[in-house]
Amino acid sequence: AAPNTSRRLREWAFDDTWDVAAFAEEVPEPAMDFPFELDAFQKRAVRRVHREEHVLVAAHTSAGKTAVAEYAIAHALKQGMRAIYTSPIKALSNQKFREFTKRFEGVGSVGIITGDVAVNPDAGCVIMTTEILRSMLYRGDQKLNTVKSVIFDEVHYVNDAERGVVWEEVIILLPDEVSMIMLSATVPNYREFAGWVGRTKLKAVYTVHTTYRPTPLRHFLHFSGQTLPLMDADGFHVEAFGKAAEIYKEKFKPPARKVRHLCFTFESRPFGMLPMKGDTGEAASCYVVEKVNHNDPSKPAWRLGVRPGYVLIRVGSRDVRRLALEQIQQVTKEVDLPVVLEFEVPPKERDKEKDKEKPQEPPQPKPQTRDSRERAETQRLQRLLRELEAGSLLPATVFVFSRRRVEAIAGEMPNLDVCTAEEKSKVHLFLK
């Protein structure tokens, strides 16, 4: 019977758990020195490169995978051979070309080949897109005969539905003597992929995996002028969406009705009004008018305009809102006449019914023109950048999926100045 999947993976993919304490003994004369102490996963990967073995490094962005690539380049140059560094996009190729040109200055030359440009294609280290390397393999380019190692940056692109076949073909077509250094983000199936590479090349592939993230990854939602944390080292904050919903409701909340106050001057007693009792027959905690005598003209409340539902809040100069009902009644009996009583008038019942009938959803905004919508977006972006500046969170990258909008946004924010005098001078010299 054919071996099961897990057995096949174990035959070709191996998690590297080697004890890094013996690194100096295993790599006594490293091809290059680093100005910092390598992490454990970097030492394991460097050891595999030194032993000319296939290695897959799966780590988060900024964890230090590039150090492994640099060592692989230096190792090939030290032996008088060449290294190829592949990337999935031209922008990344250009970035690495600048970095490696400075890094290997005086050690070896660095070149780049893309669909648009070819600079120093015979260099000891050549940077190219994976498609360029596939084309070289297709035509049997003689320059590949002196290649010692190939570094695949962002090799998890092999999972891409459209472009993944490029990585598959390159891995299949590479000569057996070429060592592969595969750099990947932390993907769940990295060991399965390593097993496939090992079975394809009939050579063990060692996986070096770390979940440590040196640069904290935090997500925020900037909504209606407020910045809410979505995810950080403590996990995903679901409550942020609840907070955003509260902000949204508050933004479209109908304005509260103004409470009316009425004052009446009483020149005689009794006043002709009775307070509302509690549910158990006890006195309530405030004086709410329940009944007003409108039959006896000697009792002035009805004639003056007091109505059921009014709340007595002041007797003369004394605020009675914090007093119990019995205390308020005692105050009204003892106060000198004439006296001014102040009442709080609750909303009318028909107003309450209107409020209940109003839809909970806010009214749909009027359609905006493209110009007005883009101006509003620019204003929101400017407020966000000001907030980032105040929190010392700059520099920042703003992704805009339109070249026209990039230029328009820059032109619509002429007063946004986030550069120091020194930075302005560097920008001026660069443009000059």
Side-chain angles (χ1 to χ4, degrees):
N4 59 34
T5 303
S6 60
R7 182 177 176 182
R8 296 206 317 269
L9 292 180
R10 285 197 297 270
E11 291 175 353
W12 300 108
F14 300 90
D15 286 332
D16 195 341
T17 59
W18 173 71
D19 186 1
V20 297
F23 179 75
E25 299 176 4
E26 288 281 336
V27 189
E29 297 181 2
M32 70 179 301
D33 296 320
F34 294 91
F36 52 85
E37 179 71 17
L38 295 177
D39 289 340
F41 86 92
Q42 292 172 323
K43 290 180 178 179
R44 293 189 178 103
V46 164
R47 174 174 174 262
R48 296 299 173 186
V49 173
H50 192 78
R51 293 162 62 97
E52 300 180 0
E53 296 170 327
H54 297 325
V55 60
L56 169 63
V57 183
H60 287 298
T61 301
S62 78
K65 298 189 293 291
T66 301
V68 180
E70 291 177 349
Y71 187 87
I73 295 170
H75 181 70
L77 295 177
K78 186 177 181 180
Q79 299 186 43
M81 301 289 283
R82 303 170 68 228
I84 291 177
Y85 184 101
T86 72
S87 70
I89 53 178
K90 288 189 290 184
L92 182 58
S93 297
N94 294 333
Q95 175 189 337
K96 292 302 179 183
F97 176 65
R98 290 191 296 269
E99 292 179 5
F100 291 166
T101 299
K102 295 180 180 178
R103 188 74 175 92
F104 295 100
E105 185 178 4
V107 179
S109 57
V110 178
I112 183 172
I113 303 175
T114 67
D116 302 325
V117 65
V119 177
N120 203 7
D122 298 322
C125 171
V126 182
I127 301 165
M128 62 184 69
T129 59
T130 315
E131 283 81 359
I132 295 293
L133 178 56
R134 181 178 64 171
S135 298
M136 295 176 68
L137 289 167
Y138 278 172
R139 64 175 182 266
D141 197 311
Q142 295 300 312
K143 293 185 177 68
L144 298 176
N145 295 337
T146 56
V147 172
K148 182 69 174 177
S149 58
V150 173
I151 300 103
F152 294 94
D153 198 0
E154 312 291 351
V155 75
H156 52 268
Y157 265 76
V158 72
N159 290 325
D160 185 83
E162 296 181 359
R163 300 180 60 198
V165 64
V166 177
W167 278 260
E168 293 176 357
E169 291 183 1
V170 169
I171 291 170
I172 292 170
L173 295 174
L174 276 176
D176 295 339
E177 62 273 13
V178 175
S179 299
M180 290 185 289
I181 297 88
M182 296 163 281
L183 311 180
S184 170
T186 52
V187 290
N189 63 336
Y190 71 93
R191 200 162 181 271
E192 180 182 352
F193 170 66
W196 174 80
V197 175
R199 292 195 305 276
T200 301
K201 308 304 291 184
L202 298 179
K203 185 176 180 180
V205 176
Y206 295 91
T207 61
V208 178
H209 179 252
T210 177
T211 57
Y212 174 65
R213 189 184 293 276
T215 303
L217 181 63
R218 296 180 294 171
H219 293 270
F220 295 89
L221 171 65
H222 188 75
F223 179 76
S224 192
Q226 295 194 39
T227 302
L228 308 173
L230 288 181
M231 191 183 80
D232 53 24
D234 296 328
F236 191 76
H237 299 284
V238 181
E239 64 275 10
F241 291 98
K243 179 64 176 177
E246 292 177 6
I247 296 173
Y248 182 77
K249 290 180 180 178
E250 188 66 26
K251 182 177 181 181
F252 293 100
K253 182 179 179 181
R257 293 185 178 276
K258 294 182 179 180
V259 178
R260 289 194 303 147
H261 289 185
L262 295 178
C263 296
F264 306 103
T265 302
F266 288 78
E267 297 180 351
S268 62
R269 270 190 289 260
F271 297 150
M273 56 189 185
L274 294 175
M276 185 180 296
K277 301 291 185 179
D279 294 336
T280 60
E282 300 291 335
S285 58
C286 62
Y287 195 118
V288 180
V289 178
E290 183 177 31
K291 294 181 180 179
V292 182
N293 190 330
H294 58 278
N295 296 321
D296 190 346
S298 66
K299 297 176 180 179
W302 182 269
R303 175 171 47 82
L304 292 173
V306 179
R307 297 294 181 264
Y310 285 15
V311 181
L312 181 60
I313 62 173
R314 187 177 294 276
V315 178
S317 61
R318 185 170 183 179
D319 190 334
V320 297
R321 279 174 289 194
R322 296 177 180 271
L323 300 182
L325 179 58
E326 292 180 354
Q327 294 174 302
I328 299 173
Q329 289 177 307
Q330 189 65 30
V331 171
T332 59
K333 292 177 182 178
E334 296 176 354
V335 68
D336 294 333
L337 299 177
V339 63
V340 176
L341 302 187
E342 183 177 348
F343 294 86
E344 185 177 284
V345 181
K348 295 180 180 179
E349 290 300 323
R350 63 173 179 269
D351 294 334
K352 292 182 181 179
E353 293 300 324
K354 286 181 180 179
D355 289 341
K356 291 180 182 178
E357 292 172 2
K358 287 183 179 179
Q360 297 296 321
E361 292 295 326
Q364 293 295 325
K366 295 181 180 179
Q368 292 181 309
T369 64
R370 187 178 74 173
D371 290 341
S372 62
R373 184 174 61 252
E374 290 181 350
R375 280 197 300 271
E377 290 175 352
T378 303
Q379 292 170 359
R380 287 197 296 269
L381 175 59
Q382 188 162 352
R383 287 195 298 269
L384 173 60
L385 293 176
R386 290 295 188 192
E387 185 176 327
L388 294 176
E389 182 183 20
S392 300
L393 296 174
L394 293 179
T397 302
V398 179
F399 290 96
V400 182
F401 297 101
S402 165
R403 180 177 296 181
R404 181 190 67 82
R405 283 295 293 141
V406 169
E407 296 174 350
I409 289 173
E412 291 169 4
M413 294 192 291
N415 298 323
L416 184 65
D417 188 356
V418 294
C419 294
T420 63
E422 182 181 357
E423 291 169 341
K424 291 178 184 177
S425 177
K426 290 181 178 180
V427 172
H428 177 73
L429 291 175
F430 176 80
L431 295 176
K432 188 177 180 179

